[in-house]
Amino acid sequence: MEKKTAIIAGVTIAVVIAIVGIGAYYATLKRPAPPATPTVEITYTGCGPMPMLLATGKIDGYMAWQPFIAVAEEAKIGKLVSYSQDLPPKGKWKDHPCCCIFVRDDLVERNPQLIADFCALMTVADEYVREHPDEAAEVAADWLVGGGSMKYGEIIVSSVEVEKKSIPTIKFVTEPSDEWVKGNDLFLDVQRDLGYITERLKATGIEESHALLFNFTPYREAKEMLERGEIITPPVEEGTIGIGYQPSDHHTQLWIACDKWEYFRDNYGMYLKETKPKEEYEFVVNNESVARIRLTRTTAGPDMMTLVAGNTLQIGLVGVPPAIITVDKGTPGKIIHPIHTEGSGLIVTKDAPCERGNWTSFIEWVKKRHEEGRPVKIATPLRGSIQDVQIKYALKESGIETVEV
């Protein structure tokens, strides 16, 4: 019996020594070195959850549209690294295109006067936003969150105060100027560089690209009508026109047109008559109902363009990059005119060692986290959105790779 015990004890001692020896061996090994090029992780989510994800440490930052830049600073959960127009390379993104009116070709061909009238309404609604920013802030807050507080866990901020900070950072314009068109050319080149453009627009020259992307005729007719002070009544449209918008104050002009309808009726003879709040309207021109309108709120531009491609929506208030991609994929539609420029930004957690408005300090932080084996994680809206395109390009210009997670 004593002999067996000695054998078992000897085995136990041997096993312990072996385990200790293996542990000591692995302790001498170095951790695998991180990739040579610093990397940022890109994760996709709707803009709505981004502040909560940031506040709870699930992400290190986000590239989003307004008002979520203002939300982070008003709630003191993050700080601004850069507005979209200030991203690298320096000067490249100034007055960059953002959202536009995109319309299916078949609707324009069927009822061009109706689209010209809608462009006229969006043009004067844009003017209203510029001239009445505080009213626009209240309207935007109502459409986004019912005018109440924005809540992110224990963090609560006033939606109206957020909008009062957000609206002035957006340039509400409708003129498709030469500079604006060049900005679209830039987005097309960047999307090609990122591998997002693979079909119709992959190798087109400028003239061919413009022919596929743009139809400014309805806008020019709208401007002429407004200058004459006479809005022409279009033929009555059969069926319902679906119009898509996003949960962003970039589309405040549409909400203004809905909420301030008396102003547009009295001053221009055209307005949106509500039949179901925030969803269904009649487009009335010169006291005649010319179209039924159904509004659809989508998460981001790419999913809106999917609905346009399927003819569920006929008009979209959407970012230029998703519009370019949908044309590239063969959707029969075109950009009619801009509704604003700029209006996005990069936010990082409040504890990040970055200076507000200092891209260089952000890149230094990215490199430090890379060396530690903890890559910075940035959230953006859906793949192919303006924010996704801009942050990836800016990082690439700064020598940083991105990986989608």
Side-chain angles (χ1 to χ4, degrees):
M1 188 68 178
E2 291 180 359
K3 184 177 181 181
K4 289 182 180 179
T5 302
I7 293 173
I8 293 172
V11 171
T12 303
I13 292 169
V15 171
V16 171
I17 290 172
I19 293 173
V20 171
I22 292 171
Y25 168 73
Y26 278 110
T28 65
L29 298 180
K30 294 182 179 179
R31 292 182 179 179
T37 304
T39 301
V40 165
E41 295 181 347
I42 301 293
T43 185
Y44 296 118
T45 182
C47 285
M50 288 181 184
M52 177 64 79
L53 294 172
L54 185 69
T56 55
K58 299 294 191 301
I59 57 176
D60 299 303
Y62 58 77
M63 179 77 188
W65 55 62
Q66 287 284 28
F68 297 100
I69 308 309
V71 165
E73 296 204 295
E74 180 72 9
K76 295 180 174 55
I77 59 174
K79 53 187 170 183
L80 177 74
V81 169
S82 176
Y83 282 118
S84 51
Q85 62 267 26
D86 299 322
L87 288 170
K90 185 176 181 179
K92 196 177 189 74
W93 299 109
K94 181 176 172 53
D95 292 325
H96 69 81
C98 191
C99 292
C100 63
I101 300 290
F102 185 91
V103 185
R104 285 183 58 92
D105 289 338
D106 48 6
L107 176 55
V108 178
E109 293 165 2
R110 184 172 69 247
N111 202 335
Q113 187 60 55
L114 177 70
I115 301 307
D117 289 359
F118 182 74
C119 290
L121 181 60
M122 289 297 96
T123 297
V124 293
D126 246 43
E127 291 177 359
Y128 194 99
V129 174
R130 292 197 303 271
E131 295 170 1
H132 305 86
D134 286 348
E135 281 187 55
E138 292 179 0
V139 168
D142 177 56
W143 276 72
L144 287 172
V145 294
S149 298
M150 293 178 166
K151 300 179 180 179
Y152 304 98
E154 298 180 356
I155 300 169
I156 301 175
V157 294
S158 164
S159 60
V160 174
E161 291 305 311
V162 164
E163 284 301 333
K164 286 182 178 180
K165 292 184 177 181
S166 174
I167 291 290
T169 70
I170 306 165
K171 295 183 179 180
F172 290 93
V173 297
T174 56
E175 181 66 32
S177 65
D178 290 343
E179 288 303 311
W180 181 81
V181 172
K182 289 178 182 177
N184 285 269
D185 295 338
L186 170 61
F187 268 123
L188 176 56
D189 288 342
V190 169
Q191 287 175 288
R192 284 170 174 159
D193 192 39
L194 293 173
Y196 286 178
I197 302 301
T198 58
E199 298 181 31
R200 297 172 74 198
L201 295 166
K202 184 177 181 179
T204 51
I206 290 180
E207 290 186 6
E208 186 179 358
S209 297
H210 289 181
L212 290 170
L213 288 170
F214 304 126
N215 178 7
F216 298 145
T217 300
Y219 176 76
R220 294 191 183 104
E221 293 180 357
K223 291 287 285 186
E224 290 177 3
M225 288 190 294
L226 291 171
E227 289 170 0
R228 293 196 310 266
E230 178 187 9
I231 303 299
I232 299 173
T233 305
V236 175
E237 178 69 15
E238 296 182 5
T240 299
I241 296 175
I243 299 178
Y245 71 93
Q246 295 166 218
S248 166
D249 50 14
H250 291 184
H251 301 164
T252 301
Q253 63 288 107
L254 175 64
W255 308 335
I256 284 287
C258 293
D259 283 15
K260 304 295 180 180
W261 62 273
E262 291 172 304
Y263 170 84
F264 299 105
R265 179 198 62 186
D266 296 345
N267 289 277
Y268 301 100
M270 58 178 174
Y271 64 99
L272 295 176
K273 178 183 177 182
E274 179 183 282
T275 57
K276 185 177 181 181
K278 295 181 173 59
E279 291 185 29
E280 297 177 3
Y281 295 81
E282 291 180 18
F283 188 21
V284 179
V285 180
N286 298 325
N287 297 316
E288 183 176 350
S289 178
V290 297
R292 294 189 300 275
I293 303 293
R294 183 186 64 254
L295 301 183
T296 298
R297 178 167 164 165
T298 67
T299 301
D303 58 339
M304 184 191 300
M305 288 293 93
T306 298
L307 296 176
V308 171
N311 204 24
T312 300
L313 299 176
Q314 290 73 46
I315 299 175
L317 278 65
V318 66
V320 163
I324 291 174
I325 289 174
T326 202
V327 170
D328 178 60
K329 302 304 179 189
T331 297
K334 291 181 177 63
I335 295 169
I336 305 299
H337 67 82
I339 52 177
H340 77 95
T341 62
E342 302 183 353
S344 296
L346 173 62
I347 289 288
V348 294
T349 177
K350 64 180 181 180
D351 298 323
C354 308
E355 298 175 13
R356 188 183 190 279
N358 189 321
W359 177 262
T360 300
S361 66
F362 169 69
I363 294 300
E364 290 173 353
W365 179 49
V366 166
K367 292 178 178 178
K368 184 174 184 297
R369 286 280 297 268
H370 168 77
E371 292 172 356
E372 296 170 353
R374 299 185 301 122
V376 168
K377 180 182 286 188
I378 301 293
T380 77
L382 296 181
R383 192 173 193 268
S385 63
I386 283 179
Q387 296 74 24
D388 175 55
V389 169
Q390 285 190 310
I391 188 63
K392 284 182 176 177
Y393 190 75
L395 288 168
K396 183 177 180 180
E397 284 292 305
S398 301
I400 308 297
E401 292 185 354
T402 56
V403 58
E404 297 172 4
V405 296

